[in-house]
Amino acid sequence: MSAQTTSEPEIVIDVNGLTKSFGGPPVVRNLTMHVHKGLIYGFLGPNGSGKTTTLRMLCGLLTPDSGTGTCLGYDIRTQTADIKRHVGYMTQRFSLYNDLSIRENLEFVARIYNLEHPRRATQEAIDRLGLADRADQLAGALSGGWKQRLALGACILPQPELLLLDEPTAGVDPKARRDFWDEIHQLAHEGMTVLVSTHYMDEAERCHEIAYIAYGEILAQGTVAEVIAGAHLSTYTVTGPNLADLDETLKSLDGVDMVAPFGVELHVSGRDAAKLEAAIAPFREKGPQTWTRGEPTLEDVFIDLMSRIKDNSA
Amino acid sequence: MSGASDIDRRTRGFRASFLRVRATFIKEFIQLRRDRVTFATMILIPLMQLILFGTAINANPRHLPTAVLVQDDSSFARSFLAAMRATDYFDISLTASSEAELDHFILSGQALFGVQIPAHFGRDLIRGERPEILVIADATDPTATGGAVAALNGLSQTVFSRELVGPAAALAPKKPPYDLRVHLRYNPAIETRLNIVPGLVGTILTLTMLIFTGLSVTREIERGTMESLLAMPIRPFEIMLGKISPYVVVGGLQMSLILIVARLLFGVPVEGSLALLVALTLLFIVANLSVGYTFSTIATSQLQAMQMSMFFFLPNMLLSGFLFPFRGMPQWAQAVGELLPLTHYLRIVRGIMLKGATFADLQADVLALALFSLAAMTLAVARFRQTLD
């Protein structure tokens, strides 16, 4: 193992300045990221922001155009064979064999990782995942939720030190998502590091740390609280009648950067607290809505980050 | 974490590598077993081809429809026609009453041969005037008429032996002062199926082996399973061996099927060593699987892999000596043929099955097949994309 891991053993993913393009403009631009051992690290961003490309570079499936880094102390350019032994990668699209049963799929994985007792390990995984009733069903016949359980089961079967999960809960029902996250937390508790990409804000809030990526660049990273605080966003929550009309009016005001309806509430945010106060003052006095000072949500922050990028590039 | 050093230990070494190849073999075999259409194809293609080629194809056809225009009623004319019938090549089924009608029979395809015996043929012959018999052959298909024309030339020696006696004996053709002995070894009756059926083993194996492996890697890419496979600790040559080996078994089964049917239905023998035939056929199977696998790593879809397989299959079929005599081809075509595995295998399979050839007789072809396999495998492993770049 390299000297880096012995001096700072807690860093599992350590990459600097990763850039990757596929002939066109870069999909990932100058990406730097450090993930500590035992953490659940959420990787957020809109579609096409470079999340999948980043995950693929981390597990050796893509070679970065420039930039350096290590994953579990192995060089992501030259030691991909070692990385593959220790990393479990769950693809966005189900990529096990539809024409094999759950048991056959898991046994295949167990054998490829040279587990000592592939049959026994497979049976244990089937029991742990609660797939015993379906063990001999073809994977192609399973529903989305069960496929996702199977894919996760296949990933953790060889007991990797690092899990890379690419939008694992897309299209999965809330109960299955809850179970899935409970499992992830249990694994992290046992010392596994998990990097998980997602679109869902509630999932982001279940992560120890998050990074927000858009247009191939990381815009913010840290704990959820740090990211929210780092955005320096002032937010008011408005309740009362005629919110739709108010929404339209507020949007055009200078100092109001974002207005978003949340059920019976309206979130009104601005980057400059003083300007926001000045802009909304007449509405607070006039009524009839009730204004309360609130905390911006993670979603407020991400939408604001996105719009800043647009403002800069426009 | 103790698991770290554990997995490093488990996954290294020859045994670990063998176990991964075996895992891939098992996976491929299960998938193959589940794919009923493919499985049926593997059995039906050989059977269908064997029965079609074995029964329907004859490069030395007999009983060909023949039209006659007889303008002479001598016994010579009758003897000549009787001798033609006796060769078994001619089936005199049409009688023309004019030259125009004779031409029409040939043009319309009702007859492949037209025979015109002119007026006063018998009289002129006795007078020593060397009258002519005209035989028109439809040579658009030389194979169809070649044997019959050769038989016709052989007639002249004996056809009028009964008529040319007594005073006319001087007109009888003289025998050459020597005897020519021709031994038609290995296939004395010149039966096409003895040539075709062993060749079919090679052709069928080429076709099926190419297609099945050609599809194997592209299928993983099209179904999206390649991404998972590449993220696992398995090396390209392990994937290749694991994917190829189930088809060695399949090819072996096909070969057995063909040999059994060939023996039972067509009486095609195996004169030489069966063990040698099996061993060298396995080598040939591996050669084709390697080519198919190489295509599989180049093609981006199953359709492309299929097209590449056909592109490779055609010259194999045409230039190997399967359909047309290898030695009859121009030098450049023979040179291309020497590069194709089927060419060498045809010499091997015909050699062992028909001629009883031994390993020593076939060394050069075995070496060529082995080199070919090695080159194709090396190329396949080098071409295999280990990343998604």
Side-chain angles (χ1 to χ4, degrees):
Chain A
M1 293 228 175
S2 69
Q4 211 162 1
T5 46
T6 35
S7 61
E8 269 187 65
E10 75 275 15
I11 290 190
V12 170
I13 298 174
D14 183 4
V15 292
N16 295 293
L18 291 190
T19 298
K20 177 76 186 175
S21 67
F22 298 98
V27 177
V28 170
R29 220 177 302 201
N30 200 20
L31 182 135
T32 297
M33 188 159 88
H34 309 283
V35 177
H36 293 256
K37 182 173 159 57
L39 283 192
I40 300 177
Y41 198 89
F43 207 34
L44 288 100
N47 290 327
S49 55
K51 300 192 296 288
T52 299
T53 304
T54 307
L55 292 183
R56 285 176 174 172
M57 283 195 280
L58 291 176
C59 66
L61 284 183
L62 288 175
T63 319
D65 296 339
S66 62
T68 56
T70 60
C71 200
L72 296 165
Y74 300 110
D75 191 298
I76 60 166
R77 287 175 179 279
T78 57
Q79 293 177 297
T80 55
D82 292 300
I83 290 177
K84 287 172 185 179
R85 286 197 190 95
H86 300 281
V87 173
Y89 171 49
M90 180 170 160
T91 54
Q92 192 169 347
R93 187 178 144 197
F94 182 72
S95 61
L96 292 173
Y97 297 95
N98 280 328
D99 49 354
L100 294 189
S101 70
I102 289 177
R103 187 187 302 280
E104 288 159 350
N105 265 305
L106 290 173
E107 272 189 25
F108 174 64
V109 173
R111 290 193 168 110
I112 294 295
Y113 284 87
N114 294 105
L115 298 190
E116 303 270 9
H117 305 287
R119 278 172 200 272
R120 197 196 298 164
T122 299
Q123 188 56 50
E124 284 167 8
I126 287 172
D127 293 338
R128 190 176 57 237
L129 291 162
L131 291 167
D133 298 344
R134 301 158 189 271
D136 296 310
Q137 269 185 28
L138 293 189
L142 297 174
S143 69
W146 287 109
K147 275 188 181 172
Q148 173 248 37
R149 280 193 86 68
L150 169 60
L152 178 67
C155 272
I156 60 179
L157 185 60
Q159 297 181 308
E161 291 161 73
L162 169 66
L163 269 186
L164 303 175
L165 310 174
D166 195 358
E167 293 185 20
T169 56
V172 169
D173 68 54
K175 168 77 169 72
R177 265 174 63 190
R178 168 75 52 101
D179 293 346
F180 186 84
W181 276 92
D182 287 348
E183 176 110 30
I184 299 290
H185 272 273
Q186 182 58 36
L187 292 169
H189 183 67
E190 290 164 13
M192 209 180 274
T193 311
V194 183
L195 177 60
V196 52
S197 77
T198 178
H199 286 299
Y200 300 116
M201 292 304 142
D202 61 314
E203 292 190 343
E205 294 183 4
R206 284 168 159 260
C207 296
H208 299 122
E209 280 184 32
I210 55 171
Y212 189 76
I213 180 173
Y215 306 107
E217 280 180 273
I218 288 188
L219 302 181
Q221 54 186 331
T223 64
V224 173
E226 282 166 6
V227 168
I228 292 177
H232 302 293
L233 216 54
S234 305
T235 300
Y236 278 87
T237 307
V238 192
T239 51
N242 300 328
L243 290 181
D245 294 335
L246 186 64
D247 185 337
E248 286 303 311
T249 324
L250 290 173
K251 262 183 185 154
S252 57
L253 294 179
D254 191 33
V256 176
D257 292 303
M258 189 171 48
V259 184
F262 277 81
V264 295
E265 295 176 356
L266 208 56
H267 286 198
V268 183
S269 310
R271 284 164 216 154
D272 186 324
K275 278 173 89 176
L276 178 69
E277 297 282 355
I280 63 174
F283 297 93
R284 295 181 70 176
E285 280 164 27
K286 194 172 68 183
Q289 296 91 349
T290 322
W291 291 71
T292 41
R293 183 72 200 248
E295 279 299 310
T297 64
L298 201 52
E299 186 164 313
D300 293 330
V301 171
F302 288 155
I303 290 173
D304 180 58
L305 285 171
M306 284 287 292
S307 57
R308 277 190 219 189
I309 285 262
K310 267 190 208 135
D311 294 347
N312 289 350
S313 58
Chain B
M1 205 161 149
S2 66
S5 54
D6 210 33
I7 192 164
D8 285 327
R9 180 179 51 75
R10 282 196 320 260
T11 51
R12 286 183 210 283
F14 177 77
R15 203 182 106 84
S17 183
F18 169 76
L19 288 174
R20 289 191 294 269
V21 171
R22 203 187 63 158
T24 315
F25 173 85
I26 295 172
K27 177 203 89 130
E28 290 286 324
F29 209 82
I30 297 173
Q31 290 184 304
L32 185 62
R33 214 184 50 202
R34 298 244 157 91
D35 188 352
R36 295 247 170 83
V37 176
T38 304
F39 209 75
T41 317
M42 284 183 308
I43 305 298
L44 290 180
I45 286 186
L47 277 183
M48 189 188 72
Q49 288 212 33
L50 188 60
I51 289 171
L52 287 184
F53 273 95
T55 56
I57 293 187
N58 186 357
N60 186 23
R62 289 157 205 262
H63 304 289
L64 304 169
T66 304
V68 290
L69 171 59
V70 185
Q71 293 157 322
D72 176 74
D73 65 349
S74 68
S75 65
F76 289 100
R78 286 189 298 277
S79 287
F80 187 81
L81 293 181
M84 275 183 80
R85 273 194 202 95
T87 62
D88 267 358
Y89 280 101
F90 304 96
D91 194 354
I92 300 174
S93 51
L94 297 164
T95 309
S97 52
S98 67
E99 284 181 25
E101 196 182 1
L102 193 63
D103 282 342
H104 169 73
F105 284 141
I106 304 274
L107 261 180
S108 64
Q110 294 176 69
L112 280 182
F113 291 93
V115 180
Q116 185 186 2
I117 301 180
H120 314 305
F121 174 76
R123 189 195 68 191
D124 293 352
L125 190 146
I126 292 295
R127 287 182 184 168
E129 288 177 5
R130 300 187 64 82
E132 287 172 343
I133 295 179
L134 175 66
V135 178
I136 307 162
D138 179 353
T140 45
D141 183 353
T143 323
T145 49
V149 170
L152 213 51
N153 289 331
L155 273 185
S156 54
Q157 195 65 240
T158 54
V159 61
F160 298 133
S161 54
R162 205 142 36 87
E163 282 83 1
L164 297 177
V165 289
L171 288 168
K174 284 200 179 62
K175 284 194 172 169
Y178 63 93
D179 270 348
L180 186 66
R181 291 223 181 144
V182 178
H183 278 195
L184 294 172
R185 272 201 194 169
Y186 315 125
N187 184 3
I190 319 184
E191 292 178 78
T192 308
R193 62 196 155 91
L194 282 189
N195 181 44
I196 287 279
V197 169
L200 262 187
V201 181
T203 318
I204 291 168
L205 286 176
T206 303
L207 185 65
T208 51
M209 295 297 103
L210 273 180
I211 290 179
F212 293 142
T213 42
L215 299 181
S216 73
V217 173
T218 43
R219 192 187 298 128
E220 300 249 7
I221 293 171
E222 280 189 9
R223 293 186 185 171
T225 51
M226 192 48 108
E227 195 178 349
S228 271
L229 194 60
L230 288 179
M232 291 187 212
I234 182 167
R235 281 177 281 176
F237 83 90
E238 293 164 354
I239 297 180
M240 179 178 76
L241 292 182
K243 277 181 167 294
I244 280 184
S245 45
Y247 295 106
V248 176
V249 177
V250 169
L253 286 175
Q254 287 189 324
M255 171 188 62
S256 317
L257 185 73
I258 300 169
L259 289 184
I260 291 169
V261 174
R263 182 62 178 265
L264 296 182
L265 227 57
F266 304 114
V268 179
V270 179
E271 297 287 349
S273 153
L274 186 62
L276 180 65
L277 179 62
V278 170
L280 296 185
T281 303
L282 289 180
L283 175 63
F284 174 66
I285 289 172
V286 169
N288 282 304
L289 291 175
S290 320
V291 177
Y293 196 79
T294 308
F295 290 159
S296 199
T297 59
I298 296 169
T300 53
S301 69
Q302 295 195 55
L303 182 67
Q304 275 188 16
M306 198 83 172
Q307 288 167 330
M308 287 185 194
S309 299
M310 289 320 290
F311 189 76
F312 182 72
F313 176 67
L314 276 181
N316 262 289
M317 180 114 164
L318 298 174
L319 299 183
S320 62
F322 171 64
L323 283 183
F324 312 108
F326 188 80
R327 296 293 169 206
M329 301 192 303
Q331 283 303 320
W332 66 264
Q334 290 195 28
V336 175
E338 291 287 352
L339 297 175
L340 302 170
L342 185 58
T343 307
H344 299 284
Y345 182 68
L346 283 182
R347 292 180 197 149
I348 290 172
V349 71
R350 284 177 180 156
I352 296 176
M353 285 181 76
L354 303 179
K355 298 153 79 170
T358 61
F359 184 77
D361 301 314
L362 302 167
Q363 274 176 16
D365 294 306
V366 175
L367 186 68
L369 273 189
L371 286 177
F372 185 89
S373 309
L374 200 65
M377 281 183 164
T378 312
L379 185 63
V381 171
R383 279 283 325 175
F384 189 85
R385 286 173 292 244
Q386 259 186 295
T387 64
L388 299 167
D389 283 296

